[in-house]
């Protein structure tokens, strides 16, 4: 096989060279690989390398010398070498920017180890490749890239990219329990490069193939791969069904906005010399992306060590000066989320749908300490719904080992419900047990959502409350900034954990409370955290426990978590394996200020609006008032999520009579995914 350059290719390259040279980029590589990421003038040129924190792994053919390839080192925040020890299985770097060739009929491949963090890290991928489809039109899977895919089983393809000559398509695949594909037409001429930008965002996977966006489809959470399953370019499982050459592969973190996708596609199509094949209305058909703007810089938490130290230095006597007094005023708030567990709203964290209430056990599998947080399918169950009392209990139960329950408002990959400022409230009870007790460790807490999408950023943790077993009156309230899952050098990232205990003392008369409140009294108690602009307040049963100045860490967008942990080294006795121990939850509620909900977020022209008659049998429709290609709709009845309703319309039924309906709209395709609420509609009978 030779890297043939046709007259058409020479003409295309010459035309592209004129434009590329005018933009400050050499035209010599216009047809094949484009300019190297680090070797040519870039003063006025947009390129992925300008945003290194977004790139997890990247391989460019220009980093290789011509000839046999035994190792291809990636860039990115989690670099790895794709290697091949066996000489006969090594691909070849072609001359004239022809790419890295994997030959038909061989198992030529470059491999690297499994990455169990792929469900969080791998949110988008860009591949430029070409396939020799002549005489191979019957092939269905000509492999280009497969992450965590060298072995069988349900957990692989995170992602996979391949050619399908039988359909003439370039394919992006993910496996969420089912194999799902997004594909678009590719050039079957081996002289033409093809561009794939695949991504997942919210509960949707989608792709752009040679500038044309696919329809997209629903996707659930990806499961962390715990097998020793290699990743590869080429194919380790089957002989290559056609020649494939790879120009570059980039795998990135964070959910992309549409402006970023347009730039990636534009950059790649110009790099490949195929800019003329972009749709007529594509913003970069006539010239490559050149300017960096706000869309390239999604908001991220920035740790301020001086501000943290100043906040942590606030005298605890100031924070606790009002403890035992009546809770602060909560007028001006409205309920935006309420679950009284009339039904069982706990779903599996991998298969739960977009509108689900709670996901279990998510990434909290090990949060139970010496008790494993089990799946909802586990038996005997740790998730007990009582249809009569409308409670949901997390149960500590023994089945060979201790098992427990934990749930979150987002699924395993971070999709779901989250909130910034507001009131976060729970009403729950624990078994009536006298001391000494087993080492229970229950908690109502929250994580900042960002760490699941930016693995290089700090994980924020707010413990609304935690209790040990030694003293059921002793409450612990803390704020943590954890080091990132993936180290990244940046002055705005805390490299080590920092923590501040906001409160840690018994709720009793010695601390100004009318009576002692022991959570192991078999009675329901109510806790909430009230996070406002200036101060944050922590309350139990109507009495203030502590207050502190509100920090960016407390105000960050967060998701709720609840668990009943157990630590065998704590407490005075071991639990009885023949018994079960329940944390019974009556309700969980989130309230936010009406004044905050009335603010129009960036990106929205005005707040979303409902239209239609608010009467039983009629349909309400949402006018989103935001120019976004990817919108998420969540409907609520008096703050209670209406499970299964995710469209822009909602047909009112008998259950809605006398209640208030509203919809939350989230613009996932815009910078920072702004969200806004409609006004409430009072539903009446016809």
């Amino acid at each position: 096989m030779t890297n043939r350059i046709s007259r058409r290719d020479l003409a295309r390259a010459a035309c592209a060279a004129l434009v590329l040279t005018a933009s400050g980029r050499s035209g010599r590589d216009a047809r094949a690989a484009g300019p190297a990421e680090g070797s040519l003038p870039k003063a006025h040129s947009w390129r992925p390398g300008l945003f290194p924190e977004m790139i997890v792994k990247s391989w460019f053919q220009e980093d290789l010398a011509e000839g046999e390839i035994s190792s291809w080192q990636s860039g990115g925040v989690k670099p790895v070498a794709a290697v091949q020890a066996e000489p006969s299985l090594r691909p070849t770097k072609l001359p004239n920017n022809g790419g890295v060739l994997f030959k038909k009929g061989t198992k030529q491949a470059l491999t690297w180890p499994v990455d169990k963090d792929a469900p969080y890290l791998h949110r988008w991928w860009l591949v430029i490749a070409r396939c020799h489809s002549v005489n191979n039109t019957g092939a269905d899977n000509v492999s280009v890239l497969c992450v965590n895919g060298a072995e069988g089983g349900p957990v692989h393809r995170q992602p996979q990219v391949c050619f399908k000559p039988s359909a003439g398509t370039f394919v992006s695949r993910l496996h969420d329990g089912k194999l799902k594909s997004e594909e678009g037409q590719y050039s079957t001429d081996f002289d033409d490069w093809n561009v794939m930008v695949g991504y997942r965002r919210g509960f949707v996977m989608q792709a752009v193939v040679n500038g044309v966006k696919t329809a997209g489809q629903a996707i659930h959470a990806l499961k962390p791969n715990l097998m020793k399953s290699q990743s590869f370019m080429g194919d380790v499982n089957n002989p290559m069904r056609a020649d494939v050459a790879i120009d570059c592969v980039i795998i990135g973190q964070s959910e992309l906005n549409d402006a970023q996708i347009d730039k990636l596609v534009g950059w790649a199509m110009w790099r490949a010399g195929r800019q003329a094949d972009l749709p007529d209305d594509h913003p970069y058909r006539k010239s490559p992306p050149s300017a960096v703007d706000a869309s390239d810089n999604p908001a991220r938490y920035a740790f301020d060590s001086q501000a943290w130290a100043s906040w942590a230095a606030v005298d605890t006597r100031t924070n606790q000066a009002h403890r035992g007094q009546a809770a602060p005023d909560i007028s001006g708030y409205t309920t935006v989320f309420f679950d009284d567990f009339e039904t069982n709203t706990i779903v599996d964290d991998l298969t739960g749908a977009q509108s689900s209430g709670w996901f279990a056990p998510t990434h909290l599998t090990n949060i139970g300490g010496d008790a494993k947080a089990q799946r909802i399918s586990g038996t005997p169950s740790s998730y007990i719904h009582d249809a009569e009392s409308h409670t949901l209990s997390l149960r500590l139960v023994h089945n060979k080992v201790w098992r427990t329950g934990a749930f979150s408002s987002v699924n395993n990959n971070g999709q779901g419900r989250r909130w910034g400022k507001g009131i976060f409230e729970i009403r729950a009870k624990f078994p009536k047990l006298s001391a000494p007790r087993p080492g229970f460790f229950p908690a109502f807490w929250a994580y900042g959502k960002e760490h699941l999408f930016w693995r290089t950023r700090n994980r924020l943790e707010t413990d609304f409350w935690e209790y040990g077993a030694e003293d059921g009156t002793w409450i612990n309230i803390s704020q943590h900034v954890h080091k990132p899952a993936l180290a990244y050098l940046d002055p705005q990232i805390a490299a080590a954990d920092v923590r501040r205990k906001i409160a840690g003392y018994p709720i009793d008369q010695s601390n100004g409370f009318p009576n002692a409140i022991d959570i192991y009294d078999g009675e329901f108690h109510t806790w909430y955290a009230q996070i406002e602009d200036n101060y944050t307040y922590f309350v139990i049963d109507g009495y203030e426990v502590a207050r502190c100045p509100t920090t960016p860490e407390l105000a960050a967008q967060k998701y709720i978590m609840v668990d009943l942990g157990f630590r065998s080294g704590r407490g005075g006795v071991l639990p009885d394996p023949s018994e079960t121990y329940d944390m019974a939850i009556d309700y969980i509620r989130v309230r936010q200020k009406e004044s905050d909900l009335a603010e129009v977020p960036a990106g929205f022209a005005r707040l979303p609006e409902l239209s239609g008659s608010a009467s039983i049998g009629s349909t309400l429709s949402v006018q989103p008032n935001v120019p976004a290609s990817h919108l998420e709709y969540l409907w609520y009845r008096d703050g209670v999520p209406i499970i299964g309703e995710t469209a822009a319309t909602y047909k009112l039924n008998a259950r809605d009579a006398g209640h208030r309906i509203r919809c939350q709209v989230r613009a996932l395709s815009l910078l920072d995914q702004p969200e806004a609420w409609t006004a409430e509609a009072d539903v009446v009978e016809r």
Side-chain angles (χ1 to χ4, degrees):
M1 194 282 301
T2 59
N3 184 30
R4 179 175 58 85
I5 302 179
S6 67
R7 291 182 179 179
R8 181 191 63 182
D9 295 322
L10 291 171
R12 175 189 292 161
C15 179
L18 291 174
V19 178
L20 288 171
T21 303
S23 66
R25 292 167 58 181
S26 169
R28 65 182 176 86
D29 296 321
R31 178 190 166 272
E37 276 284 293
S39 61
L40 295 171
K42 311 253 182 19
H44 303 290
S45 178
W46 186 98
R47 63 193 186 283
L50 292 174
F51 316 100
E53 190 179 357
M54 290 186 63
I55 297 176
V56 178
K57 299 177 177 70
S58 62
W59 292 269
F60 294 90
Q61 66 153 313
E62 54 265 31
D63 295 333
L64 298 171
E66 293 178 13
E68 188 177 273
I69 304 303
S70 61
S71 179
W72 194 359
Q73 179 64 47
S74 84
V77 297
K78 198 173 185 180
V80 66
V83 301
Q84 180 55 259
E86 171 56 48
S88 65
L89 299 181
R90 291 172 181 167
T92 302
K93 169 60 170 33
L94 298 173
N96 302 320
N97 298 301
V100 178
L101 175 68
F102 299 81
K103 291 183 179 180
K104 178 182 177 180
T106 73
K107 289 187 179 181
Q108 289 184 344
L110 296 171
T111 69
W112 62 97
V114 64
D115 191 338
K116 64 182 180 181
D117 212 31
Y120 313 107
L121 268 174
H122 299 175
R123 302 283 180 167
W124 59 270
W125 42 97
L126 184 154
V127 177
I128 302 178
R130 52 198 179 102
C131 178
H132 199 313
S133 299
V134 177
N135 300 323
N136 298 295
T137 56
D140 282 333
N141 181 0
V142 180
S143 178
V144 179
L145 167 74
C146 193
V147 176
N148 298 347
E151 297 179 9
V155 184
H156 55 303
R157 302 184 178 97
Q158 296 176 340
Q160 179 193 22
V161 175
C162 65
F163 287 100
K164 188 191 290 186
S166 61
T169 55
F170 199 13
V171 185
S172 173
R173 287 175 172 162
L174 291 171
H175 202 295
D176 67 351
K178 294 182 179 179
L179 181 61
K180 296 182 177 179
S181 301
E182 290 291 304
E183 52 195 86
Q185 295 298 307
Y186 76 95
S187 173
T188 57
D189 188 333
F190 196 45
D191 288 331
D192 287 339
W193 292 101
N194 297 277
V195 172
M196 164 70 72
V197 175
Y199 57 95
R200 53 195 177 101
R201 188 170 61 191
F203 285 85
V204 173
M205 65 172 286
Q206 207 159 7
V208 183
V209 181
N210 291 328
V212 179
K213 185 179 290 188
T214 65
Q217 61 184 296
I219 188 160
H220 300 297
L222 305 186
K223 184 179 181 180
N225 192 316
L226 303 179
M227 299 187 300
K228 295 179 180 179
S229 185
Q230 288 180 316
S231 302
F232 55 89
M233 287 179 272
D235 202 334
V236 300
N237 293 317
N238 301 288
M240 295 289 293
R241 295 175 174 86
D243 286 345
V244 165
I246 297 176
D247 166 45
C248 69
V249 172
I250 306 174
I251 301 173
Q253 66 173 339
S254 85
E255 293 187 329
L256 297 174
N257 58 61
D258 274 0
Q260 290 173 303
I261 294 169
D262 284 343
K263 287 182 178 181
L264 282 171
V265 171
W267 170 85
M269 291 292 280
W270 278 86
R271 177 180 170 93
R274 293 197 59 186
Q275 65 275 7
D277 295 324
L278 285 168
D280 290 343
D281 60 351
H282 196 278
Y284 301 109
R285 189 175 191 273
K286 294 183 178 180
S287 60
S290 59
V292 174
D293 56 33
S295 67
D296 298 308
N297 189 30
R300 277 154 282 178
Y301 166 74
F303 179 68
D304 185 329
S305 58
Q306 291 185 340
W308 176 272
S310 177
W311 177 72
V314 173
D315 195 319
T316 56
R317 290 173 296 181
T318 301
N319 292 345
Q320 300 167 16
H322 300 272
R323 65 186 182 187
Q325 296 180 13
D329 178 54
I330 61 170
S331 61
Y333 282 88
T334 189
T335 297
V336 295
F337 177 87
F338 183 70
D339 191 352
D340 63 355
F341 298 102
E342 180 179 341
T343 61
N344 187 350
T345 52
I346 309 288
V347 300
D348 185 270
D349 65 345
L350 295 175
T351 60
Q354 173 185 331
S355 63
S356 302
W358 305 103
F359 300 87
T362 71
H363 52 285
L364 302 175
T365 303
N366 298 318
I367 209 63
D370 294 319
K372 181 179 180 180
Q374 63 177 337
R375 310 199 71 80
I376 61 173
S377 58
T379 55
S381 180
S382 288
Y383 306 91
I384 311 301
H385 179 252
D386 189 319
E388 292 186 5
S389 65
H390 293 177
T391 58
L392 188 286
S393 293
L394 298 180
R395 174 166 291 177
L396 183 68
V397 60
H398 194 271
N399 180 17
K400 297 182 180 178
V401 296
W402 285 104
R403 305 177 189 274
T404 190
F407 61 80
S408 165
S409 64
V410 300
N411 69 9
N412 192 280
N413 293 177
Q415 312 298 346
R417 304 175 202 272
R418 63 260 187 167
W419 307 267
K421 296 174 297 182
I423 297 176
F424 300 82
E425 180 179 1
I426 187 171
R427 185 171 187 261
K429 73 173 180 178
F430 298 89
K432 186 174 183 178
L433 294 171
S434 58
R437 287 178 285 264
F440 304 132
F441 194 70
F444 177 55
W445 49 315
Y447 275 166
K449 71 178 183 66
E450 191 174 280
H451 76 104
L452 294 175
F453 299 87
W454 291 91
R455 302 299 274 170
T456 48
R457 290 284 156 165
N458 293 117
R459 172 167 51 91
L460 306 181
E461 175 184 337
T462 303
D463 301 323
F464 300 138
W465 55 257
E466 295 176 314
Y467 285 85
E470 298 89 342
D471 185 348
T473 69
W474 193 288
I475 191 170
N476 293 287
I477 301 170
S478 303
Q479 176 66 51
H480 305 252
V481 177
H482 296 282
K483 65 182 182 181
L486 189 60
Y488 184 71
L489 187 61
D490 187 299
Q492 294 184 326
I493 297 174
D497 295 352
V498 294
R499 169 180 177 267
R500 193 236 174 147
K501 185 178 282 291
I502 298 169
Y505 45 78
I507 305 299
D508 60 17
Q509 293 91 332
S510 68
N511 286 305
F513 294 87
N515 298 290
I517 301 177
D518 188 329
I519 67 168
Y520 298 110
D521 59 4
E523 302 293 334
F524 279 101
H525 297 281
T526 303
W527 298 259
Y528 65 79
Q530 181 177 340
I531 304 173
E532 299 194 334
D533 290 331
N534 297 319
Y535 268 85
T536 295
Y537 310 89
F538 299 90
V539 174
I540 180 172
D541 289 348
Y543 299 104
E544 182 175 326
V545 177
R547 64 174 62 184
C548 65
T550 297
T551 63
E553 293 79 16
L554 287 164
Q557 281 250 321
K558 62 187 70 67
Y559 57 93
I560 292 173
M561 298 177 291
V562 185
D563 74 278
L564 176 58
F566 165 66
R567 295 178 180 176
S568 58
R570 301 281 185 91
V573 296
L574 292 174
D576 184 344
S578 66
E579 297 286 339
T580 59
Y581 304 88
D582 289 356
M583 173 184 178
I585 304 167
D586 183 31
Y587 68 79
I588 296 175
R589 172 163 48 199
V590 179
R591 289 179 274 201
Q592 292 184 306
K593 282 191 171 182
E594 285 284 8
S595 57
D596 289 338
L597 300 182
E599 295 181 2
V600 179
F604 282 77
R606 56 186 182 276
L607 292 178
E609 297 166 312
L610 292 177
S611 62
S613 173
S615 58
I616 303 306
S618 298
T619 297
L620 293 176
S621 299
V622 179
Q623 176 61 42
N625 296 327
V626 60
S629 67
H630 186 177
L631 295 171
E632 186 176 88
Y633 300 93
L634 294 173
W635 291 85
Y636 295 81
R637 180 190 301 114
D638 296 338
V640 178
I642 304 177
I643 305 300
E645 297 294 336
T646 58
T649 59
Y650 173 62
K651 186 174 182 179
L652 298 167
N653 58 67
R655 290 200 63 187
D656 301 318
H659 297 283
R660 293 183 169 185
I661 302 295
R662 78 190 313 173
C663 184
Q664 183 190 42
V665 179
R666 184 177 295 154
L668 296 180
S669 54
L670 296 189
L671 175 67
D672 298 331
Q673 301 185 346
E675 57 189 41
W677 293 79
T678 67
E680 291 182 312
D682 293 305
V683 181
V684 298
E685 297 280 2
R686 278 191 181 275

